[in-house]
Amino acid sequence: MSALSDQLVTFAILAYLVAMISHAVEYALGNARARVAAAPVRELVGAGVGTAGGLPPLAPAVVPAAPPGPTAAERTARRARLGGRIAVAATALAALLHLGALVARGVAADRMPWGNMYEFVLTVSWIGVAAWLVVLVKRPSLRRLGLFLSLVMVLLVATAELVLYVPVVPLVPALNSYWFVIHVSTIVFSSGILLLGVVPAVAYLMRAGYEQGRRSFPYTLAKRMPTAAALERLTFVLHAFAFPIFTFAVIAGAIWAEAAWGRPWGWDPKETWAFISWVVYAGYLHARATPSVKRNVATWLAVVGFLTVLMNLFGVNIFFEGLHSYGGLPD
Amino acid sequence: MTVVDDRPATPAEAPRRRPHRVLALLRNSWRQLTSMRTALVLLFLLAVAAIPGSVLPQRGVNPEDVRDYFTAHPDLAPVLDRIGAFEAFGSVWFSAIYLLLFTSLIGCITPRLRDHVRALRSRPPAAPKRLDRLPQHAVFAAPAGGAAAVAEVLRRRRWRVVVRGDEVSAEKGYLKETGNLLFHTSMVVLLVGVALGSWYGWSGNRLLVAGEENAFCNTRQQYAEAKLGPRVGSEDLPAFCLRLDDFQARFLETGQPEFFNARVTVDEAGGAPRPAEFSVNSPLRLDGANVYLLGHGYAPVIRYTDRFGRSQTSAVPFLTTGDVGLTSEGLAAFPDANVDPATGARDPNLQMAFTGLYLPTAPDAPPYVRSEYPTERNPAVNLVAYRGNLGLDAGIPGSVYELDQRQVRAGKVKEVGTRLLKVGEAWTLDDGTTVEFLGTKPYITLSVRYDPGSTLLLVSSAVLLVGLMGSLFGRRRRVFFRVLPAGSVDPGGGSPTGGSSLVEAGGLPRTDHPGFADEFGQLVAAVSGDGRPDERAGAGRDDGDRSGAREGAE
Ligand code: HEM
């Protein structure tokens, strides 16, 4: 079972890679189409040839100016759409493989697969991708965001596999409690949503810059992204959804800590960083609710908030020693 | 998305008198402090100020690490200590930030509370003249029953409704502000709970070795470390005694712990002694105190027989060194050894002490420095014998777990030899005296605590959560309906229904949310008495109430 889980993780990474590449193709074709469509009809053919070097072959050079069939632009658009569909399908497949890996791992360990940092990161990232698929069903127009999302997934899952991997072991007694399930599941769930939330947040920051006319490097990436307003709204919705769950998880952690360690709150490094994340996200929600604070300032707070979550996920396990040292990093 | 009125920066009417300078300054500072911007800055500062507490070792979390830090950074550590960096969360700067934040918070919620109560008691406002200026607008044929019928439909959907002649005003979504106030207020209550706990709470740590003779009773002296809140005296500790009868631990083959359980006999004031059990995650809850199991280890039983043939036994816990195999380190001291039983004369230079390592599972071959497994598969104690003045009579408090190294350095205590002893083995020293290793007793590390604020913490955090959801997912909105007499000018332009009377409707989301247009449409359909849309509107109402789900669905 454990070996099966490991294999499924590898396949999931591959599927995320495929998703990322397909998204990138869609993106590139989208750019090409924009250029082609902007060109006058007469130069259309030339434009197609001109871009063929860096891109998949477009139209043959001898297309008449007003062809009876689909124009080159239409064909490119269709290919872009196909790339997008393949990307979404690959993401869904990856999410399934990923889920399979988690289930196999849980069966092998005979418990929920959240016992160490490896399993934790795997679960958090799965929640993120599952939530993304839900968002996609509700808002197909946000599909292009998948490029960033699949990039994040490849990075996270591969890091988990390459750096954090540990074999299956049972839980230490301190974790053997129903509070383990309550506290950790909610932390994992909210972290997953926050992970997804940072994707539109970053995309928003780039897109907002682009819409304001910035044409330098990171902003140009956002050229084919959904509108800044839509990204900003998605950012808020995800954070507003995750924040109460995260709050509940922290409270549940305090209740558990009272039972296990004799105090609800002791400023253990994990607790401290959870506090920091909570305060930063509260700051984000405040900033967003305050008209005098600019939206991109607020969104930066969300990004900072996610950095603190990452710090808790990785940094605290690696740098500090505390009561939460169950990370189980390989020596 | 939220339409928040930052509270007006200046009072509406001009000051009647020339305000006093100091008063004006105070008022301005207060206004600054309670502004949302300041709250934001303070929130951010609070987050930043929490970082040193996680990076530097903290006395409250791990005093040994602080001591190590002092050793490692002899120049830097005292400076850091002076600014409270090792007790960051109790430091002046951290306290200053959160106290300012909470002052700001109280200054923020008090006027909002007043306004909200006023809003709850007042009726929805009169409809504006031009409903077509509102974000949502519709005109439709008037239902039978006119304004009263419209009001009835709205009431059934739990809107707060007022009818003024031909006009109906309705409002919904007070939950948002209620939740917001609950949330922020419960944060203040949470802080009160924390304060209560630190003033009236107490805690103590100690080791408890198994056996009748090692039972402990709850007095301050019985704790290795005790922390009493400023409002707690030693006499306030509840009376109870505790005896460890048995301790069980199970481990995996890797040495990873799997299960702990302590069986004890509790003797509380006013009751017969009773057996009880507790473990990690399920503390022993007594009247006025909770007992937590934090760790465990072994206390080797060591018997020393002196020159006069008198035997004494030590069963002092050996402290675990932190490895998987539970290698433990400790001291068996016999300050009363070699006292002549006939004359009672003591020779302080003939006191005996044995330091050493206890290995629950000793390796088969030397070096005997690291236990291979946490349970006693091959128990052995690796002892170093010392003879001389242990320094215990000098009145300087020393640790019972360590030999006073000052005496060793001063040459007052001399090493006599070293030997590995298995259970039951004896070692005859150079002067003919013997030391035997009889076995071990388990001990547990206990934390005994009382926190009178914990109930308040629990209740306020539950309220906090409920309030938060209300605040995040609630949305205020108003709708207005005006029944226009037949034949009046139709503000919607064309007149779709000829001569019969019309209803003009307008909707105003006080909290901006995209679902409002749908909700308004469904409401209009319901009010106009259209059969099928009414069903749809029924579903719509559900959606509106589960606004959290809606928000996710947007
Ligand atoms: C202890 C520090 C504080 C924390 C952790 C905190 C946290 C929060 C959170 C999580 C929200 C929900 C966000 C939302 O409804 O969109 C909120 C809303 C709000 N807070 Fe605070 N808050 C704090 C202090 C303050 C202070 C000092 C003020 C006043 C200046 C304030 C005024 C508000 C207002 C007006 C809202 C409503 C925003 C809205 O209508 O959406 N808060 N707060």
Side-chain angles (χ1 to χ4, degrees), chain B residues 176-254:
Chain B
K176 182 174 183 66
E177 185 67 1
T178 310
N180 193 313
L181 289 170
L182 266 184
F183 168 74
H184 285 86
T185 310
S186 60
M187 231 157 359
V188 178
V189 179
L190 193 83
L191 192 69
V192 172
V194 172
L196 268 186
S198 72
W199 286 339
Y200 294 97
W202 57 269
S203 67
N205 292 336
R206 63 161 289 145
L207 304 184
L208 179 61
V209 180
E212 178 76 57
E213 67 284 7
N214 298 309
F216 100 98
C217 291
N218 185 36
T219 63
R220 188 176 185 160
Q221 291 71 32
Q222 289 269 346
Y223 290 105
E225 278 171 78
K227 238 190 332 206
L228 271 55
R231 305 294 168 85
V232 187
S234 305
E235 69 286 354
D236 294 329
L237 302 192
F240 65 86
C241 296
L242 209 61
R243 180 178 89 205
L244 178 61
D245 297 320
D246 186 22
F247 178 76
Q248 297 159 303
R250 256 202 330 264
F251 300 87
L252 301 176
E253 256 330 289
T254 57

Side-chain angles (χ1 to χ4, degrees), chain A residues 190-222:
Chain A
S190 53
S191 303
I193 306 288
L194 293 170
L195 162 72
L196 177 58
V198 81
V199 171
V202 172
Y204 164 76
L205 289 173
M206 300 198 304
R207 177 72 195 186
Y210 185 83
E211 286 182 9
Q212 280 155 24
R214 304 228 187 121
R215 292 291 179 273
S216 52
F217 161 62
Y219 301 108
T220 45
L221 281 183

Side-chain angles (χ1 to χ4, degrees), chain A residues 139 233 236-241 244 285 288, chain B residues 1-4 112 116 120 157-160 170-180 466-479 507-520 522-523 540-554:
Chain A
R139 289 276 144 131
R233 174 141 192 92
F236 173 72
V237 167
L238 289 171
H239 284 87
F241 180 59
L285 294 177
R288 196 180 182 280
Chain B
M1 60 158 262
T2 18
V3 187
V4 181
R112 285 178 71 115
H116 187 52
L120 277 180
R157 283 153 194 270
R158 293 194 280 126
W159 287 74
R160 279 157 45 90
E171 193 164 18
K172 202 173 181 177
Y174 283 89
L175 206 62
K176 182 174 183 66
E177 185 67 1
T178 310
N180 193 313
V466 172
L468 177 62
M469 307 232 256
S471 168
L472 279 174
F473 302 131
R475 48 211 35 183
R476 284 183 73 182
R477 56 251 195 232
R478 289 185 179 146
V479 288
L508 174 68
R510 305 283 312 276
T511 324
D512 146 49
H513 67 286
F516 183 69
D518 286 349
E519 188 189 10
F520 183 78
Q522 286 158 3
L523 203 57
R541 179 184 58 180
D542 271 1
D543 266 4
D545 290 346
R546 285 186 291 107
S547 33
R550 265 205 87 72
E551 177 73 86
E554 291 312 328

Side-chain angles (χ1 to χ4, degrees), chain B residues 76-110:
Chain B
L76 185 59
V79 179
L80 288 176
D81 200 20
R82 208 161 314 130
I83 58 170
F86 299 116
E87 273 136 320
F89 300 105
S91 67
V92 182
W93 37 275
F94 193 76
S95 315
I97 296 173
Y98 74 75
L99 288 178
L100 271 178
L101 184 60
F102 275 84
T103 313
S104 167
L105 183 62
I106 291 169
C108 195
I109 52 185
T110 328

